[in-house]
Amino acid sequence: MAYDKAKWHFDAADFPKGIEIEQGGVHIAFFYRWMLESNFAGENLMDDMAEEVQSVREGNHSALDLLFEFNDGVLLAEDFDAAGAAFADQYYEGNTMFADKYSSYLADYGTLTLEYLVGVEESDYGIIYSDENYQKVKEIIDQRYQEFLQFEATS
């Protein structure tokens, strides 16, 4: 199952002209990086790309590049282990009991104060893929993951 595809975004009518198509996957890559750094990579992903995943974890490879080079900009449930997929199912998707109680990833992402490409400040597609921006995204995902663990324990 695909949670998200960069193509859905860079083919959208509101995607700004003149920017790289990878900008349609920045939000996906932030989530993907968090999942990889949090050790939620699935068995198939580790079988196929263990070195690349480790390189992302160590900060030597961009999760945005990995997402496009190996996944064609697609965030897939099968890239994650059962625990990671359970979290993504509840948080990345917007219409879930968890998201109704706390928030969804895209709703949270839209509230963050992040750095933008010059001239594209009015669009979420202008958000720069950077470590500074990632740290802000990571902070909210970390918080939501802790809430998710509590949610799961009481459900």
Side-chain angles (χ1 to χ4, degrees):
M1 175 187 93
Y3 293 110
D4 205 346
K5 296 181 180 183
K7 182 175 179 36
W8 294 342
H9 301 281
F10 65 71
D11 280 348
D14 65 340
F15 191 78
K17 304 282 185 244
I19 64 172
E20 299 293 324
I21 63 169
E22 287 82 6
Q23 286 301 124
V26 169
H27 66 286
I28 301 169
F30 285 143
F31 190 82
Y32 191 54
R33 178 176 170 182
W34 185 90
M35 294 292 278
L36 298 180
E37 288 181 354
S38 299
N39 296 314
F40 289 125
E43 186 178 331
N44 290 341
L45 186 62
M46 292 307 291
D47 286 347
D48 295 341
M49 302 187 314
E51 288 180 28
E52 292 85 353
V53 169
Q54 188 59 34
S55 188
V56 167
R57 288 177 181 158
E58 294 170 354
N60 298 322
H61 195 87
S62 161
L64 182 63
D65 291 343
L66 185 69
L67 183 70
F68 276 88
E69 290 167 7
F70 294 97
N71 289 40
D72 296 322
V74 180
L75 184 67
L76 297 166
E78 48 268 22
D79 285 341
F80 308 127
D81 64 12
F87 176 57
D89 287 348
Q90 288 293 314
Y91 181 51
Y92 202 93
E93 298 291 308
N95 298 320
T96 66
M97 290 186 349
F98 176 80
D100 289 347
K101 183 172 182 178
Y102 296 98
S103 189
S104 69
Y105 174 65
L106 294 178
D108 282 340
Y109 187 77
T111 67
L112 297 172
T113 303
L114 302 170
E115 294 180 29
Y116 288 77
L117 297 169
V118 174
V120 198
E121 296 88 354
E122 298 301 315
S123 171
D124 284 344
Y125 298 125
I127 293 172
I128 298 169
Y129 185 83
S130 67
D131 284 334
E132 294 81 14
N133 279 344
Y134 172 69
Q135 292 306 317
K136 293 174 184 177
V137 174
K138 179 184 183 306
E139 186 176 321
I140 192 66
I141 300 174
D142 284 342
Q143 175 188 330
R144 294 296 183 226
Y145 183 65
Q146 291 307 309
E147 292 166 347
F148 172 73
L149 292 176
Q150 293 172 355
F151 178 81
E152 286 284 283
T154 59
S155 295

